Every structure is written in structure tokens, then in C-alpha cells.
Amino acid sequence: MSEPRIVLSAEHVSKTYRLKSGILSNTRVLQAVSDVSLFLAENEVLGLIGESGCGKSTLSRMLLGLEPPTSGEVFLRGKPISSLSRKDVARILQPVFQDPYSSLNPRETIEEAVMRPLIVHRIGNRASMRHKVAQVIESVGLPRRALASYPNQLSGGQRQRVAIARALVLDPRILICDEPTSALDVSVQAQILNLLNELRRSIGISLILISHNLQVVQFLADRVAVMYYGKIVEEGLSSQILRNPAHAYTRRLLASALDVAPGAGIPDIETIAGAAALPTS
Ligand SMILES: Nc1ncnc2c1ncn2[C@@H]1O[C@H](COP(=O)(O)OP(=O)(O)O)[C@@H](O)[C@H]1O
Ligand SMILES: [Mg+2]
């Protein structure tokens, strides 16, 4: 058997923020991510789970090359991501963020929004761009007439489909989805997760799926990494971790997730973590 091919990895990545506090301009150091190592294999879905404030988005910005680590390094296909241009990274690795409202320009039609990466990267001519955009819009389950629409004419779920289409238009090999369903109605969340699942099968893409909701991760992930206070405290096959969590924090996450009635939404961080909530002030 051949080894799985690693497409993205983090090696001993940390991030500290210096926060100015008070009139004496004292600085306080906040360790958002602390010595995290992880990898993503080809065609794999890695779930990254942890309560709000534990450092998931900070880690994802470093994995995307959007923010440099304070120490450690991220490698994209074996090369330090800091050595690659933004354009080179964008061809391989694309983000999908939580809020499809703020990530779409209200004055751009959906066609313009999804075409923009092709224009920036100068891929093809006008006709081939329009063809590609129509194709990718269809692949995310939107009707062609959505192309002429503006973001405010679409529902939250449709907008998130547009954001996914825009992430896919350059044919990347990896998507990093940071809470992709958290801003959506519960009924729509499952549709978006189903879409990601279908896309993963049909185009053989690798995914990092970040969520504070265990059920979201459970649905899609092959492997799960559990994050707590900036560290990965548990990692393994999702079937194993969810059935037999080794870490007390994971057990607590699981227990509180099971308390949630379908449709009742997600308990906030205080409910899940109790006294363990990360101080952010
Ligand atoms: N740009 C920043 N400047 C200062 N502190 C930040 C910044 N981004 C995140 N943090 C802090 O880092 C910690 C982790 O935040 P974040 O990565 O957003 O967690 P999560 O995505 O798991 O909710 C939080 O305490 C947050 O307040
Ligand atoms: Mg976050």
C-alpha cells in the first residue's frame, strides 16, 4: 500500500497576539495557537473541532497563508507556504468562510463574483470564463438564472453556495471551510454539508472542515482533531474519537452535543465548556 500523499501540513505552529491594555500601554500576550502540528492527506476530510475562542480561525488563517505563524511553518505540497506567492497558493488552496453576507460584494452580480478569480488569474477568454462560471454554479446546485442575481436576492444558503462556487472556480485541490454552516438556518446547514460531501466525491478534493459543532464534523470528516486552548488535545479517525473519546474535553463536547435537541441550535461556549471557557478580555 502506498503512503497517503500529504497536501498540507503544519509543523509546530504557534501564534501569539500582543494586546495593548490600559493607559499605561502594558501589553498582554495572548497565545491563540500553541505548538500545533497537523496534516491533511489527498482526498481526505479533516475535521477541526473545538469551542469558540480556542484558536480554530487563527489556525485556519495560518494554514491558508493569510497570516504568518509566530513560530513554526505551514507546508503546502511540501513547500513552505511563506515561500509561495499568493497567486500560487490560491490555485491550490481556497477558503470558504462562515459569513456569505460579508464575503460577497453587494454591487456585484453572482456571475461577476464567481468570475473574478478567473480574471485575476487571467485564465481563458471571456467566453471560456462564462462557460466555467456557469459550470461551477451548476455544480453547487444553483440555477443558471442565479448568475444575473445580486447577493441580496439570494437566501443565506444560496449565498454560501455562491461562496463555494467562487472557491472552486480555479479548480483548487484543497478547501478550508471555517464554520461554513454556522450562519445558516439549521434546515439549510444539512444541505450545505451534503453539497460539500458530494463535491468531495465528484471532484476528489481535500477538505479541512472547522466547526464548534460536533455533529457537523461527524457528518463529513474522516479524521478529527480536537482543539482546546490553542492546542490539539486529541486526534484520530472520527469514528474512533466520537465513539471512544480519550480526552475529558472531547467527552464533554460530545456529552453537550448529545443534549441538543434537533433544531434547537447550538449551545454557546459557556454552556459547553463551563468554567473552562477561554478568557478573551
Ligand atoms: N487578530 C487578533 N488579534 C488579537 N487577538 C486575536 C486575533 N484573532 C484572534 N484573537 C484571539 O485569539 C483567540 C482565538 O481566536 P479564534 O482563532 O478566532 O478562535 P475560534 O475560531 O476557535 O473561535 C481568541 O481569544 C481571540 O480573541
Ligand atoms: Mg472561528
Side-chain angles (χ1 to χ4, degrees):
M1 275 231 330
S2 60
E3 288 279 302
R5 220 157 71 106
I6 306 300
V7 289
L8 184 70
S9 64
E11 289 187 12
H12 302 289
V13 161
S14 295
K15 184 76 186 184
T16 51
Y17 293 113
R18 286 181 189 285
L19 308 174
K20 285 208 182 355
S21 57
I23 46 171
L24 298 173
S25 71
N26 297 327
T27 57
R28 215 168 55 79
V29 173
L30 188 146
Q31 180 98 32
V33 172
S34 182
D35 194 21
V36 164
S37 297
L38 58 76
F39 69 90
L40 176 69
E42 204 160 40
N43 293 324
E44 183 184 42
V45 180
L46 172 66
L48 184 63
I49 180 99
E51 67 201 0
S52 165
C54 73
K56 304 181 299 295
S57 293
T58 303
L59 178 58
S60 88
R61 289 195 299 275
M62 293 192 285
L63 291 170
L64 285 160
L66 297 175
E67 215 176 296
T70 312
S71 62
E73 180 67 88
V74 171
F75 295 89
L76 179 58
R77 290 175 161 176
K79 292 189 188 131
I81 201 164
S82 56
S83 73
L84 302 171
S85 73
R86 283 292 267 277
K87 274 193 169 181
D88 286 344
V89 173
R91 294 297 294 268
I92 307 170
L93 174 61
Q94 282 284 328
V96 174
F97 295 113
Q98 171 174 350
D99 185 4
Y101 292 74
S102 60
S103 62
L104 292 172
N105 181 342
R107 283 177 292 279
E108 254 182 4
T109 65
I110 301 313
E111 182 173 48
E112 287 165 340
V114 177
M115 195 181 284
R116 186 152 309 283
L118 295 174
I119 295 172
V120 169
H121 288 259
R122 298 169 195 264
I123 296 174
N125 57 29
R126 191 79 193 164
S128 70
M129 286 181 192
R130 294 196 75 170
H131 180 74
K132 178 70 189 177
V133 170
Q135 211 178 24
V136 77
I137 280 291
E138 196 171 315
S139 77
V140 298
L142 287 172
R144 286 236 178 168
R145 64 186 143 75
L147 290 169
S149 307
Y150 288 89
N152 69 359
Q153 296 173 303
L154 303 181
S155 69
Q158 289 170 326
R159 257 185 288 233
Q160 195 58 303
R161 287 176 195 267
V162 172
I164 293 169
R166 191 180 46 184
L168 290 175
V169 78
L170 294 175
D171 294 321
R173 303 308 309 147
I174 308 165
L175 289 189
I176 298 187
C177 306
D178 190 356
E179 307 265 12
T181 62
S182 301
L184 304 175
D185 291 344
V186 173
S187 59
V188 183
Q189 291 185 8
Q191 296 170 15
I192 295 295
L193 293 174
N194 277 323
L195 170 65
L196 289 171
N197 206 20
E198 273 167 38
L199 289 168
R200 173 230 182 159
R201 267 171 234 235
S202 58
I203 55 185
I205 206 164
S206 310
L207 276 182
I208 294 185
L209 181 67
I210 299 172
S211 183
H212 65 279
N213 181 342
L214 260 163
Q215 278 131 336
V216 165
V217 164
Q218 192 168 17
F219 180 73
L220 268 182
D222 304 306
R223 244 175 353 110
V224 172
V226 182
M227 221 175 153
Y228 183 54
Y229 277 86
K231 286 193 163 73
I232 288 182
V233 293
E234 183 162 9
E235 196 196 328
L237 293 178
S238 50
S239 51
Q240 274 168 13
I241 288 201
L242 298 169
R243 206 171 304 138
N244 195 10
H247 198 273
Y249 169 65
T250 315
R251 287 200 294 275
R252 217 163 54 218
L253 270 181
L254 270 168
S256 45
L258 295 175
D259 287 342
V260 183
I266 294 136
D268 57 21
I269 168 187
E270 283 77 19
T271 325
I272 293 181
L278 189 72
T280 52
S281 56

